[in-house]
Amino acid sequence: MKSTGSTLLGLDIGTTHCKAALFSERGDLLKLAKTKTEVYTDRGWAYFDPERLWTSVVRLIREITEQGGDCTDTTGHPADMRAIAAIGIASMAETGLLVDPNSGRARSPFLPWYSRCAVTQAERIAAESDLAERFAAHGLHPSFKHGLAKLLWLQENDPGALSGSMWLSASDYVAYRLTGRMATDYTLAARTYAFRLDRRDWDRDWVRHFGLEPSLFPEAIPSGSAVGSIHPDAATALGLPAGLPVTIAGHDHVAATLAVGVVNPGQVMDSMGTAETLVGVLPERALTAQDRMSGLAFGIHPAKGRYFWMGGLSASGGAVEWFRSVLSEPALDYERILERLAGFDPAAGPTGILFFPYLTGSGAPRPDGRARAAFVGLTADHGQGDLLRAVLEGTAYELEWIRRTGEQATGAAIRDLIVTGGGTHNPAWLQIKASVSGCPLRQPERPEAALLGAALLAGVACGLYADVDQAAAAAASAGEVRSVQPQPQAHSRYRQLFEEGYVPLQEPLRALYRGVLSGE
């Protein structure tokens, strides 16, 4: 890669925050702007307002561009903030809306990935599927999160909205507002349960089976491809040059793998956000029965010739958010949470409380949209601090279950984890995770991995980097890596609770949820 002095603009449309950031071509963060993602509720269902979300994106980009002038990156190299070479957009994966492709008008709100409105539709999809055949084609297990389930929910609740409309993710929608072109990338298309990985195309017969038209879905293009150029009106409104290349960087967790160098088989990233996800890389190949039995999801990685595998917990940071707002009066702020964890002894081991963190259902290795959360093992001696630590331990147990499943599915040992995301600001949580898994955690000095990944893919699209591997190498060449080591004695006790408590109790608790508590 030859240095050009160019900068790259990354956008991340997230569940909790929308962000914009400017990076040097070496991956150094030059400027960051963020705002809270506004959530609304209608008849009990959460949604994001498309126009207000777009207004937030405009405000963030203006906050970056209105500063103007030159600045210096973290190593003292000059960077011209006006020399933006391209824009990359990452977003929460399954969140989507319907748009009229002729007028550009939104015909539905954004339905969030975590909304459980489509649980019944996901169960219908599963009942009408040859699950082995569908997994081999799509790399997924039926879930209320997926675009197809949400479209069937809309079909039942607002059938007129689907006629002549197109389903766009959050990244797709922002890219459309910037360029006027509707498209999606492979990583987002693969989260619809309507996209064939083996053909890199929409599964048209499968879509028609449900009375839907394949034209509901936009053209799918590889991650790191330019979807188009920013059109003059948008450029003027945003203070950007007309004709600037725009790329859909896709699934935020997958984009983040580039920023932390997880692009080769055997490497695994733990992204700790509102949802927590383990993402690994494997050579592109036909998916097997063993892959399906793992409960993991698979998709096309931006790096050529590679797939990714993924397993996650919908409510990880979300469980902490739930704890601080529901189990505290007044609600704990994050500074007070860290204060309460400050005296945590790394060698002390587990609380003895098992928290099953299924506030929004469970994913791999036991996908179940109806799974519920639970505390087991409480005594009168336990206080608020114990419950807080138990929440952190429960999310760590769940990720350990996914880690072991990933090892079995890929046949590759996972000896360490590269961690990123907002949860890394909680040192007690990192120590618990290391001790539960017995694996060292490595934390690259990349505070905004999804944003940087989006910027790197924009750099690939505009030719700043030859390919994804070169882009990831450029980002990996700078910055320190911190390490958190497991405590052997604590690991032994955590392992016993995990193997003799957390895993064996899964089935009886789930059976209870399926039976008495669900009214069956």
Side-chain angles (χ1 to χ4, degrees):
M1 180 190 74
K2 185 178 179 180
S3 178
T4 64
S6 298
T7 56
L8 296 164
L9 180 60
L11 302 176
D12 180 17
I13 315 303
T15 306
T16 307
H17 291 97
C18 291
K19 303 177 184 178
L22 197 67
F23 295 92
S24 74
E25 59 194 70
R26 298 174 65 256
D28 295 301
L29 178 62
L30 304 175
K31 187 164 288 292
L32 172 68
K34 70 177 182 179
T35 188
K36 193 167 183 61
T37 306
E38 297 178 88
V39 185
Y40 303 90
T41 304
D42 180 32
R43 290 171 290 181
W45 302 118
Y47 71 92
F48 304 123
D49 181 89
E51 200 59 38
R52 293 190 181 186
L53 187 143
W54 168 246
T55 300
S56 294
V57 171
V58 170
R59 187 167 62 250
L60 291 171
I61 295 176
R62 291 294 306 187
E63 189 173 336
I64 297 292
T65 60
E66 284 177 354
Q67 300 294 328
D70 296 336
C71 64
T72 302
D73 67 22
T74 56
T75 63
H77 290 79
D80 187 348
M81 294 178 63
R82 296 163 296 188
I84 299 174
I87 303 173
I89 312 161
S91 68
M92 42 191 163
E94 299 90 354
T95 298
L97 84 166
L98 291 169
V99 178
D100 183 331
N102 295 314
S103 67
R105 182 176 60 86
R107 303 186 70 178
S108 79
F110 277 110
L111 301 182
W113 59 270
Y114 58 80
S115 172
R116 296 175 56 82
C117 66
V119 167
T120 301
Q121 288 72 24
E123 291 172 345
R124 174 193 167 191
I125 291 170
E128 297 182 23
S129 301
D130 179 325
L131 295 179
E133 180 183 347
R134 295 271 67 82
F135 178 83
H138 302 153
L140 298 176
H141 309 269
S143 170
F144 64 86
K145 299 177 187 177
H146 298 150
L148 181 60
K150 289 181 169 64
L151 285 167
L152 293 182
W153 183 82
L154 286 166
Q155 184 185 50
E156 293 180 20
N157 289 273
D158 190 8
L162 272 69
S163 179
S165 295
M166 192 165 283
W167 177 258
L168 300 180
S169 76
S171 290
D172 307 338
Y173 181 70
V174 172
Y176 165 70
R177 296 295 296 260
L178 290 171
T179 68
R181 181 188 174 195
M182 293 187 181
T184 192
D185 89 316
Y186 291 162
T187 67
L188 294 171
R191 301 304 295 178
T192 60
Y193 208 66
F195 184 77
R196 294 192 64 113
L197 304 183
D198 53 352
R199 299 176 185 173
R200 285 167 165 71
D201 199 4
W202 299 106
D203 197 341
R204 290 172 172 78
D205 291 341
W206 173 243
V207 171
R208 291 191 183 99
H209 170 81
F210 294 100
L212 303 176
E213 290 299 322
S215 58
L216 274 166
F217 298 101
E219 178 187 2
I221 60 177
S223 305
S225 302
V227 66
S229 301
I230 188 169
H231 59 71
D233 290 344
T236 300
L238 296 168
L240 294 168
L244 198 66
V246 176
T247 188
I248 298 170
H251 195 312
D252 49 6
H253 291 313
V254 180
T257 63
L258 275 64
V260 297
V262 175
V263 294
N264 292 309
Q267 297 176 318
V268 179
M269 179 191 75
D270 179 2
S271 178
M272 301 173 63
T274 302
E276 186 169 1
T277 305
L278 287 189
V279 187
V281 182
L282 70 160
E284 184 177 330
R285 58 168 172 78
L287 299 178
T288 66
Q290 183 177 353
D291 294 329
R292 183 171 77 87
M293 294 304 294
S294 73
L296 299 170
F298 295 78
I300 301 167
H301 194 274
K304 187 175 181 180
R306 276 151 272 184
Y307 275 0
F308 65 83
W309 63 262
M310 179 182 294
L313 173 60
S314 298
S316 183
V320 178
E321 178 69 20
W322 167 80
F323 175 90
R324 77 176 193 86
S325 59
V326 174
L327 295 186
S328 304
E329 182 62 42
L332 287 172
D333 58 32
Y334 287 103
E335 184 176 346
R336 289 175 64 201
I337 284 177
L338 293 177
E339 286 176 358
R340 297 200 174 201
L341 293 168
F344 168 62
D345 179 1
T351 60
I353 303 168
L354 291 175
F355 173 64
F356 295 81
Y358 307 134
L359 294 167
T360 55
S362 65
R366 289 287 304 278
D368 184 355
R370 295 187 182 274
R372 299 191 186 185
F375 284 103
V376 175
L378 293 174
T379 74
D381 294 327
H382 287 129
Q384 187 183 59
D386 298 305
L387 291 176
L388 174 57
R389 278 186 54 202
V391 168
L392 302 184
E393 290 173 349
T395 64
Y397 289 139
E398 185 69 11
L399 267 291
E400 172 62 3
W401 204 13
I402 297 169
R403 185 191 71 83
R404 293 188 183 194
T405 302
E407 286 188 326
Q408 294 168 0
T410 62
I414 301 171
R415 304 196 184 282
D416 61 10
L417 296 172
I418 300 174
V419 293
T420 186
T424 61
H425 298 299
N426 187 329
W429 199 359
L430 293 180
Q431 185 61 66
I432 288 170
K433 289 171 67 68
S435 292
V436 166
S437 66
C439 293
L441 305 184
R442 292 192 292 127
Q443 183 183 357
E445 199 174 81
R446 294 300 187 192
E448 297 291 345
L451 277 166
L452 176 54
L456 293 172
L457 284 168
V460 174
C462 73
L464 186 61
Y465 312 110
D467 54 26
V468 167
D469 290 291
Q470 188 183 74
S477 65
E480 297 180 359
V481 177
R482 301 187 183 114
S483 179
V484 179
Q485 298 296 321
Q487 294 289 328
Q489 184 176 353
H491 170 61
S492 177
R493 296 174 62 195
Y494 277 124
R495 180 175 180 173
Q496 182 179 9
L497 270 174
F498 173 78
E499 294 178 349
E500 299 180 17
Y502 190 80
V503 175
L505 283 173
Q506 290 286 336
E507 187 50 42
L509 286 172
R510 289 167 189 262
L512 177 64
Y513 303 151
R514 288 193 300 268
V516 175
L517 294 182
S518 62
E520 296 176 2

PDB file of all heavy atoms in Angstrom, residues 86 98 130 166 170 251 366 398:
ATOM      1  N   ALA A  86     -13.352   7.829   0.684  1.00  0.00           N
ATOM      2  CA  ALA A  86     -14.531   6.978   0.527  1.00  0.00           C
ATOM      3  C   ALA A  86     -15.274   6.881   1.855  1.00  0.00           C
ATOM      4  O   ALA A  86     -14.737   7.218   2.917  1.00  0.00           O
ATOM      5  CB  ALA A  86     -14.129   5.584   0.043  1.00  0.00           C
ATOM      6  N   LEU A  98     -39.087  -1.498   4.886  1.00  0.00           N
ATOM      7  CA  LEU A  98     -39.568  -1.499   3.512  1.00  0.00           C
ATOM      8  C   LEU A  98     -39.503  -0.089   2.948  1.00  0.00           C
ATOM      9  O   LEU A  98     -39.879   0.878   3.619  1.00  0.00           O
ATOM     10  CB  LEU A  98     -41.013  -2.001   3.455  1.00  0.00           C
ATOM     11  CG  LEU A  98     -41.227  -3.486   3.778  1.00  0.00           C
ATOM     12  CD1 LEU A  98     -42.718  -3.769   3.937  1.00  0.00           C
ATOM     13  CD2 LEU A  98     -40.625  -4.365   2.688  1.00  0.00           C
ATOM     14  N   ASP A 130     -37.260 -27.949   5.155  1.00  0.00           N
ATOM     15  CA  ASP A 130     -36.327 -29.042   5.363  1.00  0.00           C
ATOM     16  C   ASP A 130     -35.101 -28.367   5.970  1.00  0.00           C
ATOM     17  O   ASP A 130     -34.308 -27.739   5.263  1.00  0.00           O
ATOM     18  CB  ASP A 130     -35.983 -29.717   4.035  1.00  0.00           C
ATOM     19  CG  ASP A 130     -34.983 -30.854   4.191  1.00  0.00           C
ATOM     20  OD1 ASP A 130     -34.091 -30.744   5.052  1.00  0.00           O
ATOM     21  OD2 ASP A 130     -35.077 -31.827   3.429  1.00  0.00           O
ATOM     22  N   MET A 166     -39.154  -2.657  -1.318  1.00  0.00           N
ATOM     23  CA  MET A 166     -37.872  -3.344  -1.238  1.00  0.00           C
ATOM     24  C   MET A 166     -37.416  -3.346   0.222  1.00  0.00           C
ATOM     25  O   MET A 166     -37.550  -2.349   0.929  1.00  0.00           O
ATOM     26  CB  MET A 166     -36.845  -2.656  -2.138  1.00  0.00           C
ATOM     27  CG  MET A 166     -35.577  -3.453  -2.350  1.00  0.00           C
ATOM     28  SD  MET A 166     -34.592  -2.803  -3.748  1.00  0.00           S
ATOM     29  CE  MET A 166     -35.521  -3.461  -5.134  1.00  0.00           C
ATOM     30  N   ALA A 170     -30.294  -1.328   7.658  1.00  0.00           N
ATOM     31  CA  ALA A 170     -29.937   0.041   8.038  1.00  0.00           C
ATOM     32  C   ALA A 170     -28.789   0.565   7.178  1.00  0.00           C
ATOM     33  O   ALA A 170     -28.815   1.715   6.712  1.00  0.00           O
ATOM     34  CB  ALA A 170     -29.573   0.095   9.517  1.00  0.00           C
ATOM     35  N   HIS A 251     -22.562  -6.226   7.977  1.00  0.00           N
ATOM     36  CA  HIS A 251     -22.749  -6.681   9.359  1.00  0.00           C
ATOM     37  C   HIS A 251     -21.654  -6.098  10.245  1.00  0.00           C
ATOM     38  O   HIS A 251     -20.471  -6.314  10.015  1.00  0.00           O
ATOM     39  CB  HIS A 251     -22.680  -8.209   9.358  1.00  0.00           C
ATOM     40  CG  HIS A 251     -23.182  -8.853  10.602  1.00  0.00           C
ATOM     41  ND1 HIS A 251     -22.808  -8.453  11.871  1.00  0.00           N
ATOM     42  CD2 HIS A 251     -24.028  -9.901  10.787  1.00  0.00           C
ATOM     43  CE1 HIS A 251     -23.390  -9.212  12.767  1.00  0.00           C
ATOM     44  NE2 HIS A 251     -24.148 -10.111  12.134  1.00  0.00           N
ATOM     45  N   ARG A 366     -27.857 -23.609  21.211  1.00  0.00           N
ATOM     46  CA  ARG A 366     -29.252 -24.042  21.355  1.00  0.00           C
ATOM     47  C   ARG A 366     -30.174 -22.889  20.978  1.00  0.00           C
ATOM     48  O   ARG A 366     -30.758 -22.240  21.839  1.00  0.00           O
ATOM     49  CB  ARG A 366     -29.524 -24.490  22.801  1.00  0.00           C
ATOM     50  CG  ARG A 366     -28.891 -25.796  23.223  1.00  0.00           C
ATOM     51  CD  ARG A 366     -29.597 -26.997  22.598  1.00  0.00           C
ATOM     52  NE  ARG A 366     -31.020 -26.977  22.917  1.00  0.00           N
ATOM     53  CZ  ARG A 366     -31.541 -27.422  24.058  1.00  0.00           C
ATOM     54  NH1 ARG A 366     -30.762 -27.932  24.992  1.00  0.00           N
ATOM     55  NH2 ARG A 366     -32.845 -27.382  24.263  1.00  0.00           N
ATOM     56  N   GLU A 398     -22.163 -18.397  28.830  1.00  0.00           N
ATOM     57  CA  GLU A 398     -22.794 -18.584  27.513  1.00  0.00           C
ATOM     58  C   GLU A 398     -21.769 -18.497  26.391  1.00  0.00           C
ATOM     59  O   GLU A 398     -21.789 -19.284  25.440  1.00  0.00           O
ATOM     60  CB  GLU A 398     -23.900 -17.536  27.312  1.00  0.00           C
ATOM     61  CG  GLU A 398     -24.698 -17.708  26.035  1.00  0.00           C
ATOM     62  CD  GLU A 398     -25.581 -18.940  26.042  1.00  0.00           C
ATOM     63  OE1 GLU A 398     -25.754 -19.581  27.116  1.00  0.00           O
ATOM     64  OE2 GLU A 398     -26.121 -19.269  24.969  1.00  0.00           O
TER      65      GLU A 398
END
